[in-house]
Amino acid sequence: MGSSIREGARRLIVCADDFGMSPGVNAAVLRAHREGIVTEASLMVVGAAAAEAVATALRTPTLGVGLHLVLAQGTPVLPPHAIPGLVDGAGMFADEPVRTGFRYYFARELREPLEREIAAQLERFLDTGLPLSHVDGHLTLHVHPVVLDILCSLKDRYGIRAMRLPLEPLRHTLSFDRRALGQRAFEGLVFGLLGRYARARMRRHGIRHPDRMYGMHQSGHISEAYLLHLIPRLGPGTTELYCHPAVADQEVRRWTPGYEREQELAALTSPRVRAAIEAAGIELIRYRDLWEAT
């Protein structure tokens, strides 16, 4: 992994999400980095195994680590009284991301609590001693217009230099698997609009981002066959592939019961996938290579 950029080069960030969710996720991320193609991980600072993930990352400096911001389907850093309106009686964020997104947009009284919680998660990340490689969001909520504006306003305070950009070319996924066409088309429309808005905001604030992303339309179901189909089709510039490897445990089954996480781990550690990347001349990089090269 390096930071030099050759004209026309193809570069790939492979980012494992939910780092810190559980011991099973942590073990899979470490294995997929050491034995496979994962270069980056997104840390849930509120995850049940976040402390173990941090200790693992501190011992593994070749793994880039960013913040996986949690504002739905999880627990906050701050107590409920400090973030009124954001959590339920059990102190949990809402599970339903679309309804939550509408609330965050239209309920102006939630903007101050949102900023406090976002800042608190960034503070907790910095307290780990890990360099902040990038920021992304659980359920991609980091590109919600309100959340993104808050992150942009906090970028200098917390050293946010790069973010995930959810602009995924749908055609490559559909050429591999046309199931759930309606759902994927809807995702493509919504996140295409959000991604273009986010790209303009990030550029205005000097925040780096990959040129495109894959994994959303195949979320939880990345296989060796999918990666072997995708790799030769990657265009020039920087692509991010995000993924969800895990060794199934109680937390994994609780939060993502339909995900084929062990299949993803097998795909990410496949020698055939590694060979395909090398044959295509694709350079594996981390997020920090985006901003260290400028």
Side-chain angles (χ1 to χ4, degrees):
M1 291 178 284
S3 58
S4 60
I5 300 176
R6 294 173 286 107
E7 185 176 353
R10 292 190 290 171
R11 312 170 90 206
L12 179 63
I13 298 167
V14 184
C15 185
D17 280 6
D18 300 340
F19 195 38
M21 173 186 280
S22 75
V25 172
N26 295 347
V29 170
L30 182 61
R31 182 181 166 199
H33 175 63
R34 287 181 171 172
E35 302 176 22
I37 63 171
V38 164
T39 61
E40 188 88 11
S42 293
L43 174 66
M44 286 179 154
V45 295
V46 296
E52 179 192 71
V54 170
T56 297
L58 289 170
R59 294 192 303 267
T60 315
T62 52
L63 178 68
V65 183
L67 172 65
H68 197 51
L69 185 67
V70 177
L71 298 171
Q73 291 185 3
T75 57
V77 166
L78 295 177
H81 67 81
I83 46 173
L86 293 190
V87 294
D88 61 20
M92 300 286 292
F93 291 117
D95 282 344
E96 215 290 311
V98 175
R99 186 176 301 172
T100 299
F102 279 114
R103 286 189 67 239
Y104 289 168
Y105 189 81
F106 289 107
R108 297 190 65 85
E109 69 275 11
L110 296 181
R111 299 194 180 187
E112 286 190 13
L114 269 172
E115 181 168 351
R116 285 194 292 271
E117 176 60 25
I118 291 169
Q121 291 191 32
L122 286 161
E123 290 276 4
R124 181 169 289 187
F125 186 99
L126 295 186
D127 286 345
T128 67
L130 293 167
L132 179 63
S133 187
H134 77 284
V135 173
D136 62 47
H138 189 49
L139 304 170
T140 321
L141 275 173
H142 69 291
V143 293
H144 183 288
V146 172
V147 175
L148 182 63
D149 284 352
I150 293 170
L151 286 169
C152 288
S153 73
L154 296 174
K155 83 172 190 73
D156 291 331
R157 187 191 309 176
Y158 294 106
I160 300 171
R161 299 182 182 181
M163 290 190 205
R164 174 177 291 163
L165 182 67
L167 285 177
E168 178 169 354
L170 182 57
R171 65 186 182 279
H172 293 329
T173 299
L174 292 182
S175 66
F176 173 75
D177 182 359
R178 296 187 64 84
R179 289 176 295 179
L181 177 60
Q183 176 185 334
R184 287 170 169 169
F186 178 73
E187 288 175 346
L189 174 64
V190 170
F191 285 104
L193 293 170
L194 290 172
R196 285 188 287 274
Y197 171 83
R199 180 172 59 192
R201 295 287 290 166
M202 290 180 199
R203 290 179 177 176
R204 191 177 310 144
H205 287 271
I207 297 171
R208 306 283 293 179
H209 57 77
D211 299 300
R212 67 197 68 84
M213 180 199 78
Y214 288 95
M216 178 172 62
H217 299 308
Q218 202 71 14
S219 189
H221 306 286
I222 288 172
S223 64
E224 180 189 70
Y226 170 75
L227 293 181
L228 293 175
H229 176 85
L230 177 65
I231 288 164
R233 293 166 172 79
L234 296 180
T238 303
T239 300
E240 178 183 6
L241 170 72
Y242 83 88
C243 51
H244 298 85
V247 177
D249 58 22
Q250 185 174 351
E251 282 291 295
V252 167
R253 287 188 287 269
R254 173 191 178 195
W255 290 109
T256 52
Y259 277 21
E260 298 173 292
R261 286 179 173 262
E262 291 178 326
Q263 171 187 276
E264 293 209 4
L265 175 58
L268 295 164
T269 54
S270 162
R272 294 181 65 201
V273 169
R274 167 72 76 170
I277 289 172
E278 292 175 355
I282 295 170
E283 181 186 10
L284 291 171
I285 67 168
R286 298 167 296 182
Y287 257 100
R288 65 185 303 160
D289 295 314
L290 292 180
W291 42 267
E292 285 185 342
T294 58

